[in-house]
Amino acid sequence: MFHNLVPDLFVHDISAIDLNKLKENGISAVILDLDNTLDSHETKTPSARALSFLEELKADGFLVCVISNGKRRRVEAYLAGFEIPFVADAGKPLKKSYRKALNTLGCRQENTAFVGDQIFTDTWGANRMGLFTILVEPIEAFETPLFYIKRALERFVKAKLLKE
């Protein structure tokens, strides 16, 4: 049961992802969460770090899609000026949102990595779809009561399951 909560790779942030290793392992597409993975919830346009990562992905030939539980208006505004497809109001961890992203890119799950900051939505959903999962530390401590509980559970899971 818990194996779906364990990412294939755990890194501090998106800049620590080795794109050459992904390619060596047959990954040709990357699906990314937006909030707290690429940028904070309040960020309206890509930060220099996120912009650099997105440009590097595209320059290296990766197919790229953003999938977010955020509202369409927020995701669309963030990606304005980019030719990056997205799935908004995704309902992660439901499989349908990951399927939609895969269909949008025209790729297979065994060749696709998913990058996100939450174990119980991002990692769990992507693992259930057979994607290569990369968990990053959240960018900010955005703590509503629900997030506070989820993050406490995630810290417990990380301590138990992500031991090196």
Side-chain angles (χ1 to χ4, degrees):
M1 176 178 142
F2 290 112
H3 70 281
N4 278 332
L5 299 177
V6 180
D8 295 300
L9 180 63
F10 179 60
V11 295
H12 179 67
D13 66 26
I14 56 174
S15 63
I17 299 170
D18 186 337
L19 300 182
N20 288 325
K21 284 224 190 250
L22 291 181
K23 279 185 171 181
E24 289 170 10
N25 288 302
I27 301 296
S28 59
V30 178
I31 301 171
L32 298 148
D33 174 50
L34 172 54
D35 291 323
N36 256 347
T37 298
L38 284 173
D39 273 310
S40 71
H41 289 85
E42 288 81 30
T43 304
K44 306 273 189 250
T45 59
S47 63
R49 181 182 54 79
L51 183 61
S52 174
F53 185 68
L54 291 170
E55 288 175 347
E56 186 178 0
L57 281 169
K58 291 185 92 177
D60 281 353
F62 287 96
L63 299 171
V64 180
C65 183
V66 170
I67 180 174
S68 175
N69 284 347
K71 300 289 181 201
R72 178 179 183 82
R73 185 175 35 179
R74 188 268 191 277
V75 180
E76 196 168 51
Y78 179 86
L79 292 172
F82 289 96
E83 292 183 20
I84 296 176
F86 64 89
V87 178
D89 298 303
K92 293 179 295 176
L94 297 176
K95 289 182 177 183
K96 69 177 184 169
S97 56
Y98 297 91
R99 272 192 212 102
K100 185 172 182 180
L102 289 168
N103 290 336
T104 297
L105 293 175
C107 59
R108 298 186 333 245
Q109 58 256 49
E110 59 268 17
N111 301 102
T112 305
F114 182 86
V115 183
D117 69 297
Q118 294 187 61
I119 289 174
F120 297 112
T121 54
D122 299 326
T123 300
W124 185 42
N127 273 340
R128 287 174 35 239
M129 285 297 298
L131 306 178
F132 181 86
T133 52
I134 303 170
L135 181 68
V136 298
E137 288 288 339
I139 291 172
E140 66 180 354
F142 180 73
E143 302 291 350
T144 64
L146 176 61
F147 264 78
Y148 180 79
I149 293 167
K150 283 173 60 176
R151 293 296 187 199
L153 289 170
E154 285 180 350
R155 284 190 293 277
F156 173 77
V157 170
K158 285 178 188 175
K160 295 291 184 188
L161 302 177
L162 300 181
K163 290 182 182 178
E164 294 182 294

